[in-house]
């Protein structure tokens, strides 16, 4: 199962999480025209949603929501969603429902102008809501990853970021750079976009005369990142011939430009990112094992946007 495919999460998984001391429930992620992060636990396995439901356990502050709008119940058969005669209807993943059991947990529930998502554990949402940040909106799921990244930046020389495309790995890399407290340049390189045969020259630089078109000394990305952070995105795509040379730079903190005979000292922190499983790439002999262990500690997964829908506008 893909980590970013929540539609395949089964209700039985949520119940297993509940048995392991998690608190399943719903999270209001958008209401009254604004992002929100309000957890609603499924106390005894069910909750009534509305402006004034019995017991006041599922209160939704939305004028478009009926007093007793819908009931949501979790059982071994799935998530049962029942409209309680509301004036605006209950919608699940864009389709109106009256009374239906969903064996696979739905992504979004809409009542009135309010959006809710199911969470196998609402505890993280109870500890903190959505925060506004210069990069946008950050919810509890991403905030946990950001905290790990900040600790890595304060203590380590390397960080490996994993996660699907569009999850914000470059923003996470910039957060790592900021957490180092060093200042200096942030140099971002997309390894997948480096033309074949040019990786060594672009990464490590070249001296004048090193090849036919080298009419002047050229600084590489490694030298450009001196005193700061080098971000190698899609590092799994890095040419195999360059991987041992990058490993040597990381081990010796010295770089030898193409056509040069004298290594030069460099000081930088490395943040690498990939959407691939690097351990699988190592097993398939497409990525060096020693380089993986050099860059892969610590490793932080940036959650997919589908796992952070409380951040969506």
């Amino acid at each position: 199962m893909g980590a970013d495919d929540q539609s395949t999460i089964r209700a039985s998984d949520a119940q297993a999480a509940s048995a392991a001391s998690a608190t399943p429930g719903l999270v209001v992620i958008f209401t009254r025209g604004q992002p929100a992060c309000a957890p609603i636990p499924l106390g005894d396995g069910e909750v009534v949603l509305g402006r004034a439901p019995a017991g006041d356990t599922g209160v939704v502050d939305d004028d478009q929501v009926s007093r007793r709008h819908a009931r949501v119940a979790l059982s071994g058969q799935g998530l049962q969603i029942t409209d309680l005669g509301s004036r605006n209807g209950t919608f699940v993943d864009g389709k109106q429902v009256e009374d239906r059991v969903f064996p696979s947990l739905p992504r979004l529930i809409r009542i009135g102008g309010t959006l809710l998502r199911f969470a196998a554990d609402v505890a993280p949402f109870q500890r903190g809501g959505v925060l506004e940040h210069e990069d946008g909106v950050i919810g509890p799921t991403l905030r946990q990853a950001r905290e790990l990244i900040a600790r890595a930046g304060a203590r380590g020389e390397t960080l490996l970021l994993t996660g699907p495309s569009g999850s914000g790995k470059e923003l996470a890399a910039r957060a790592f750079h900021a957490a180092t407290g060093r200042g200096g340049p942030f140099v971002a390189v997309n390894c997948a976009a480096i033309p074949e045969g040019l990786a060594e020259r672009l990464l490590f630089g070249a001296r004048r005369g090193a090849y036919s078109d080298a009419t002047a000394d050229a600084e590489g990305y490694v030298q450009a990142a001196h005193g700061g952070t080098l971000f190698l995105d899609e590092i799994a795509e890095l040419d195999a011939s360059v991987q041992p040379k990058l490993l040597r730079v990381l081990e010796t903190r010295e770089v030898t430009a193409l056509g040069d005979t004298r290594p030069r000292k460099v000081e930088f922190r490395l943040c690498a990112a990939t959407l691939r499983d690097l351990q699988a790439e190592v097993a398939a002999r497409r990525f060096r094992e020693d380089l993986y262990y050099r860059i892969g500690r610590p490793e932080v997964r940036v959650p997919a946007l589908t796992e952070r829908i409380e951040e969506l506008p």
Side-chain angles (χ1 to χ4, degrees):
M1 178 184 68
D4 59 341
D5 186 3
Q6 288 202 336
S7 64
T8 61
I9 298 176
R10 311 295 294 185
S12 56
D13 297 334
Q15 287 197 313
S18 179
S21 77
T23 305
L26 302 171
V27 181
V28 176
I29 61 172
F30 189 87
T31 189
R32 300 176 70 89
Q34 295 183 347
C37 187
I40 301 175
L42 292 177
D44 294 322
E46 70 173 68
V47 68
V48 173
L49 302 173
R51 285 187 294 110
D56 294 333
T57 57
V59 176
V60 178
D61 185 16
D62 180 352
D63 293 339
Q64 299 179 46
V65 171
S66 299
R67 291 175 61 84
R68 298 182 79 252
H69 197 110
R71 177 184 291 108
V72 179
L74 181 65
S75 68
Q77 285 69 47
L79 195 69
Q80 182 175 9
I81 300 175
T82 306
D83 185 83
L84 300 177
S86 68
R87 67 177 186 272
N88 290 327
T90 299
F91 296 81
V92 178
D93 291 338
K95 296 181 179 180
Q96 188 168 3
V97 299
E98 293 185 0
D99 187 10
R100 181 177 169 185
V101 175
F102 294 85
S104 295
L105 298 175
R107 293 179 184 272
L108 285 176
I109 301 170
R110 178 169 67 83
I111 57 174
T114 296
L115 296 176
L116 306 96
R117 59 166 289 192
F118 180 84
D121 186 10
V122 296
F125 299 91
Q126 291 173 318
R127 289 193 291 268
V130 172
L131 299 178
E132 292 188 4
H133 188 270
E134 60 183 3
D135 295 333
V137 176
I138 297 178
T141 306
L142 181 58
R143 191 157 62 248
Q144 292 177 18
R146 284 290 188 109
E147 290 170 357
L148 294 174
I149 291 166
R151 288 203 292 269
R155 295 185 299 187
E157 294 289 338
T158 61
L159 173 67
L160 176 62
L161 298 171
T162 61
S165 295
S167 57
K169 293 190 289 295
E170 182 165 345
L171 289 176
R174 291 183 180 276
F176 170 76
H177 172 62
T180 65
R182 290 185 178 182
F186 176 84
V187 179
V189 182
N190 184 348
C191 296
I194 296 178
E196 186 176 358
L198 296 184
E200 182 176 1
R201 173 157 62 96
L202 292 176
L203 281 175
F204 309 129
R207 295 298 303 274
R208 178 181 178 182
Y211 51 93
S212 57
D213 294 331
T215 57
D217 291 348
E219 185 179 61
Y221 294 128
V222 169
Q223 294 95 325
H226 180 70
T229 301
L230 177 64
F231 174 49
L232 295 182
D233 196 10
E234 304 300 347
I235 194 169
E237 311 303 323
L238 190 63
D239 282 353
S241 63
V242 177
Q243 292 178 22
K245 298 172 184 177
L246 175 61
L247 176 63
R248 180 166 178 78
V249 170
L250 295 174
E251 291 177 339
T252 65
R253 295 292 160 176
E254 294 180 340
V255 60
T256 303
L258 194 65
D260 203 350
T261 58
R262 185 177 57 183
R264 300 176 187 273
K265 288 288 185 182
V266 286
E267 186 60 38
F268 64 94
R269 291 192 175 187
L270 176 70
C271 181
T274 181
L275 54 78
R276 296 185 184 274
D277 181 345
L278 277 191
Q279 291 188 5
E281 295 296 302
V282 169
R285 299 182 181 276
R286 290 189 292 265
F287 198 84
R288 289 182 64 100
E289 183 176 19
D290 48 5
L291 179 58
Y292 168 68
Y293 284 112
R294 186 66 179 79
I295 68 172
R297 300 292 185 274
E299 178 179 331
V300 176
R301 180 180 176 274
V302 181
L305 193 57
T306 51
E307 300 171 59
R308 297 150 38 201
I309 53 178
E310 68 274 7
E311 299 175 13
L312 294 178

